[in-house]
Amino acid sequence: MFDKRFYPHLWLLIIYIPFVFIVKEFLPQNAARENGPIENFQLVLLAVGIYLCWQAMKKTRVSMDKYIWQAGMLFYILVFGRELSWGRALLMQSDGTMPKWRELGILGDIAHPVIGLLIALLLFLFWRGRFFRFLKTVKIPMWDLIFLVLFIVLVDISEHYNCSIFHGEIDEELFECAMYFEMLRVTNYIKIYMLKKKF
């Protein structure tokens, strides 16, 4: 079920797209560096996502829904970890590079197996909460979902293709901010809708 209303904040996101291409010309390239201001802002957005899912998990009275919100928390935690390069961004070397996995000893050896286990746990939680049943009971803001997909595409183009106006890390990082904002918007909308529905 979709909410087809076009909310006012979406106009700001439309303006934001050309804004990215303009402002990136004035920002220093190191603004998009690891542990830089843009990436730190992204981490704040993801931390808010973890908090929203935790709040929803605490407040819902439907036991199956608790698994979904636990999965939501874990999803945001995984994306948070990815933004930190799974902790390597916290161990930056003096030349500004991150250590390679093989340089981290046992931490480097166990990192990928642990990530794999967390992804398996994420899938289990979605299965345990009957994710497709959950989707049938919620209302999703259609235009926010469309904009979320749009920003995912823009992030992918900026990251993997050096073409026309899409180039450089700043594009990618700024579009990721909008992508995470839309993830929060969809998460919060579903949280409010489900909690109103259950009470």
Side-chain angles (χ1 to χ4, degrees):
M1 183 164 40
F2 290 104
D3 177 355
K4 298 180 180 179
R5 286 175 290 181
F6 195 91
Y7 289 94
H9 71 275
L10 295 168
W11 290 110
L12 295 177
L13 291 176
I14 291 173
I15 296 169
Y16 182 78
I17 294 173
F19 170 79
V20 167
F21 296 120
I22 295 169
V23 75
K24 74 172 185 178
E25 301 299 333
F26 301 96
L27 290 175
Q29 193 61 36
N30 66 1
R33 70 185 186 278
E34 295 289 341
N35 297 329
I38 301 176
E39 286 217 350
N40 287 336
F41 179 65
Q42 292 170 2
L43 293 176
V44 171
L45 293 176
L46 293 169
V48 172
I50 296 169
Y51 176 76
L52 289 175
C53 292
W54 177 69
Q55 282 285 304
M57 182 192 68
K58 275 204 326 176
K59 292 180 179 179
T60 185
R61 295 179 178 178
V62 181
S63 58
M64 286 293 184
D65 289 0
K66 288 185 183 294
Y67 292 109
I68 297 297
W69 292 114
Q70 287 170 3
M73 284 178 61
L74 183 53
F75 173 78
Y76 276 108
I77 289 169
L78 283 167
V79 180
F80 191 98
R82 175 189 166 276
E83 284 298 331
L84 287 174
S85 297
W86 311 110
R88 289 188 301 153
L90 301 175
L91 303 170
M92 297 292 285
Q93 297 172 334
S94 56
D95 61 357
T97 61
M98 286 185 294
K100 293 180 169 42
W101 288 115
R102 64 176 177 270
E103 297 171 352
L104 296 177
I106 190 170
L107 291 177
D109 294 334
I110 66 172
H112 287 97
V114 169
I115 294 166
L117 286 173
L118 290 175
I119 292 172
L121 176 59
L122 175 70
L123 295 174
F124 171 77
L125 289 171
F126 276 128
W127 171 80
R128 189 69 179 82
R130 298 181 183 175
F131 179 65
F132 293 107
R133 171 208 59 85
F134 179 82
L135 283 182
K136 291 178 182 178
T137 66
V138 302
K139 184 178 280 191
I140 299 171
M142 184 184 75
W143 285 104
D144 282 289
L145 188 62
I146 290 170
F147 272 79
L148 174 57
V149 172
L150 170 64
F151 284 115
I152 290 172
V153 171
L154 290 172
V155 167
D156 185 66
I157 293 172
S158 300
E159 183 177 6
H160 296 109
Y161 303 96
N162 189 6
C163 60
S164 186
I165 55 177
F166 293 95
H167 59 84
E169 292 182 5
I170 294 180
D171 303 37
E172 176 196 348
E173 299 300 334
L174 290 175
F175 283 134
E176 277 188 353
C177 289
M179 179 180 74
Y180 293 149
F181 171 81
E182 279 298 88
M183 282 168 52
L184 289 181
R185 163 67 182 160
V186 172
T187 300
N188 193 51
Y189 183 99
I190 293 173
K191 167 182 171 279
I192 292 171
Y193 177 81
M194 291 302 289
L195 292 179
K196 280 184 178 178
K197 184 179 177 183
K198 302 303 180 186
F199 284 96

